[in-house]
Amino acid sequence: MRATVYFLPVHEQDWQLLDTFSIVMSTGCDTFSPATRKILPGSLPAEGDSEPVRERTSNLTIGERVAWYRYRRGLSQEVLAGLIGRTAGWLGKIENNRIELDRLSVIKSLADVLDISLGDLLGEPSLLDWTGDSGTETVPTLRAALMNYRALGPFGGDTDAEPTSVAVLRKEVGALWDAYQDSRFGYVTGRLPDLLHRAQAAADHRHGDDQDRARWLLGLAYQLAATQLTKLGESDLAWIAADRGLAAVRPTGDPLITGSLFRSVGHALHATGRYAEAVRLTEDAAGYLESHLKHATPALLSVYGTLFLSGSMAAARSNDAATTRTFLAAADHAADLLGADANHLWTAFGPTNVAIHRVATAAELGDLQVAIDLGPRVDTAGLPMERRVRHALELARAYSSWNRVDDAQALLFDAEQMAPEQVRHHFLSRQLALTWIRRQRGKPSVELVVLARRLNVLD
């Protein structure tokens, strides 16, 4: 059996047939379910249609995106599978949604071979909906604030008005961090540009101790921007924000705020799939902080421990189980020294967050039994909403992979009720909902279809 594959042009505005070629399809290779076959780029859009690639693939599962980009690259299933050390049969099941593709280490290896970004396969960034909370100026306005050239040189900001006081800035930075932990992503994104502008002005025009405090708060605002942007899949902007934050606090020489900013650098590395570098960052940042731990405050202990939690996820996504265990043990030790769950510098650090990461790293390493056994026993009720919902998504993933789909769906429905924006912007929830629909033998439930539409993965 022979199939014709059509290549789409590199420039999306120039849709035309460039070439065709034939590949021999053997049993079990390059065979697709009807749902998957419909989305392959075998029929071209009308000339002049300039819809971005990511919009064209927004309603696909990750496996279907693999098939879409594989066809774009002109690779057979056998060739692509071989390049990542897998079989064509395994890849066929991935592309037909017969097995889960939710481990970021595997997704990243596919993205690397296909010469695309991790976000291309995850369907990120996703559009931030306008709400009463967000207003109508969101990510593009935040992008403009981060790319303001005045922050790069000795130009200074507006001097006509008195800079915002440090006390007011402290209150506003704290309020936005609280909103982030409440999973109000639109609210945070919509208000960050103005906060960054005023915090930069204060850091530029205050003097002495007030200037150091303003720089400290500017660093926290940039850290929040980096953290929020990673949640929206805006990985390149997150890196800019993390870099700006470290530059802002460097003159203070304060290890606490510097260590806290290292967290945002780690988030940015995660978002781009640079997991090995995130592991090295954890080691370097921990070494930097260790000399300050002799008389560590609870806040510094929390920052130190949280670095290891982020590092444990990076190690798991690098398939490095030994380093994952080492980092979790270091975080556990810091949590023991802290004594109880706390939220110093919005870390939500303590024994419960360590347990959450034990579940998440087990899932990333493919050890579903650990995730299934430990996950339901972690009581997250005392943690911020963002942490509670993130744990729920990890447990839903584990249940779905364990074929406990009803339990997984119940968790996802509950999580979406608690934090709709967070669930909408996480690749796991979108992947789970669409995969469940694809696997239905009959018509999916009305509740599942409505959820998928709210997640913007179903028209």
Side-chain angles (χ1 to χ4, degrees), residues 21-280:
F21 78 104
S22 296
I23 54 175
V24 177
M25 300 170 67
S26 58
T27 303
C29 295
D30 284 273
T31 57
F32 303 101
S33 67
T36 304
R37 186 174 292 281
K38 276 197 325 185
I39 57 85
L40 294 175
S43 60
L44 297 177
E47 186 174 351
D49 185 352
S50 59
E51 184 183 6
V53 169
R54 197 159 286 162
E55 289 300 314
R56 295 183 181 282
T57 63
S58 62
N59 293 347
L60 307 183
T61 65
I62 296 173
E64 290 163 356
R65 288 192 194 99
V66 171
W68 201 94
Y69 283 105
R70 178 175 65 77
Y71 263 54
R72 287 288 303 268
R73 295 304 189 199
L75 299 175
S76 69
Q77 286 178 337
E78 183 175 14
V79 169
L80 177 57
L83 289 172
I84 64 167
R86 300 278 184 158
T87 66
W90 173 86
L91 184 59
K93 291 177 182 178
I94 288 294
E95 293 182 346
N96 286 302
N97 303 306
R98 290 167 59 193
I99 58 177
E100 300 278 2
L101 180 57
D102 54 17
R103 292 180 60 195
L104 285 171
S105 59
V106 181
I107 298 169
K108 181 61 166 60
S109 66
L110 285 162
D112 287 345
V113 171
L114 291 168
D115 192 30
I116 57 177
S117 73
L118 178 62
D120 287 327
L121 288 185
L122 297 183
E124 293 179 341
S126 52
L127 181 67
L128 182 62
D129 291 335
W130 286 345
T131 66
D133 249 3
S134 71
T136 58
E137 296 183 349
T138 57
V139 174
T141 306
L142 182 52
R143 177 182 289 108
L146 291 172
M147 299 181 73
N148 182 1
Y149 74 89
R150 288 185 173 275
L152 302 178
F155 305 108
D158 298 331
T159 57
D160 294 339
E162 177 72 11
T164 306
S165 72
V166 170
V168 169
L169 281 177
R170 182 182 295 111
K171 181 178 179 180
E172 292 182 355
V173 169
L176 271 196
W177 268 104
D178 290 344
Y180 165 77
Q181 289 195 321
D182 285 339
S183 299
R184 297 173 63 191
F185 290 178
Y187 180 87
V188 173
T189 305
R191 283 155 182 78
L192 268 170
D194 178 64
L195 179 62
L196 287 170
H197 174 75
R198 290 185 294 108
Q200 183 68 61
D204 286 342
H205 300 297
R206 296 287 175 187
H207 302 284
D209 290 344
D210 259 6
Q211 185 176 51
D212 277 350
R213 295 187 188 100
R215 286 169 172 163
W216 215 89
L217 293 167
L218 177 59
L220 275 179
Y222 274 124
Q223 181 183 345
L224 177 56
T227 304
Q228 180 63 85
L229 286 163
T230 59
K231 295 291 186 180
L232 302 177
E234 298 281 356
S235 54
D236 293 340
L237 288 180
W239 180 263
I240 293 173
D243 178 70
R244 292 283 178 83
L246 278 172
V249 304
R250 189 171 292 118
T252 70
D254 187 333
L256 176 59
I257 186 60
T258 302
S260 190
L261 260 298
F262 283 141
R263 291 166 52 202
S264 60
V265 177
H267 290 316
L269 290 172
H270 277 267
T272 53
R274 295 158 66 187
Y275 305 127
E277 289 181 62
V279 169
R280 290 194 293 272

Side-chain angles (χ1 to χ4, degrees), residues 420-435:
E421 289 181 290
Q422 182 178 352
V423 171
R424 186 181 308 127
H425 288 286
H426 201 286
F427 85 92
L428 276 179
S429 52
R430 300 193 301 267
Q431 170 74 0
L432 287 171
L434 197 51
T435 299

Side-chain angles (χ1 to χ4, degrees), residues 256-327:
L256 176 59
I257 186 60
T258 302
S260 190
L261 260 298
F262 283 141
R263 291 166 52 202
S264 60
V265 177
H267 290 316
L269 290 172
H270 277 267
T272 53
R274 295 158 66 187
Y275 305 127
E277 289 181 62
V279 169
R280 290 194 293 272
L281 169 71
T282 301
E283 295 166 343
D284 291 343
Y288 166 79
L289 290 179
E290 279 168 3
S291 62
H292 303 280
L293 292 177
K294 187 174 182 180
H295 303 290
T297 63
L300 187 58
L301 266 179
S302 297
V303 166
Y304 181 73
T306 305
L307 282 171
F308 283 111
L309 292 184
S310 177
S312 71
M313 292 300 296
R317 290 166 180 170
S318 298
N319 278 321
D320 186 346
T323 301
T324 300
R325 289 191 296 270
T326 298
F327 284 174

